[in-house]
Amino acid sequence: MAELLIHDGALYHRKKLQDEVLTIGREKTCGVLLQAESVSRKHCRLVRRPDGWLLQELDSRNGTWVNGRRLSVEWKLKDGDVVGIGKARLVFRERMTASQTFFWLLVHRCQR
C-alpha cells in the first residue's frame, strides 16, 4: 500500500493512502493537515488512478513542488518523489515495510 512520510516542522509521521482522493492543506477537513501559514486551506490533492497516484495542484498561493520543481500540471507520483508544501516535505512511497518506516522515522528524529 502506498503511503506518505511527512515531515512538518518538528513532526514526523506517515499516512497510508487508503482513500481514492486525499486533500492536503490547512483546513481541518483535509486528510493530511499541515499547520504552516504558507500552506493554503486546500493546497493540493492526491488522486488514485488505475496506473498509480496523481498529485494535483489546487491553485495554492505558494505552489506545490515535486523534487525541487514547481508543479504546473498534475504529476504522476513515483516511489521516492519528494513533495514540498510550504516548509513541509512529504515523501511518496509505493510500498514500505514496517521496518523501513520505523528506520525512516528514527533517522529523521535523530537528525533534529
Side-chain angles (χ1 to χ4, degrees), residues 1 8 14 23 26 32 34 57 60-61 90 95 99:
M1 173 180 295
D8 183 20
R14 74 182 197 174
T23 304
R26 258 188 314 122
V32 173
L34 302 174
E57 166 64 27
S60 66
R61 184 178 61 224
L90 298 81
R95 289 185 183 81
S99 60

Side-chain angles (χ1 to χ4, degrees), residues 26-81:
R26 258 188 314 122
E27 193 170 273
K28 292 182 195 277
T29 60
C30 291
V32 173
L33 183 62
L34 302 174
Q35 299 297 325
E37 286 295 319
S38 59
V39 176
S40 295
R41 287 188 299 273
K42 290 187 178 177
H43 199 98
C44 61
R45 72 175 156 231
L46 295 175
V47 179
R48 185 192 320 248
R49 299 280 190 233
D51 61 339
W53 286 90
L54 293 179
L55 176 63
Q56 299 174 332
E57 166 64 27
L58 297 177
D59 295 322
S60 66
R61 184 178 61 224
N62 293 312
T64 302
W65 301 75
V66 180
N67 302 327
R69 294 184 186 158
R70 190 170 184 145
L71 183 66
S72 57
V73 295
E74 63 185 21
W75 180 268
K76 183 173 185 289
L77 289 169
K78 298 177 290 302
D79 189 52
D81 278 348

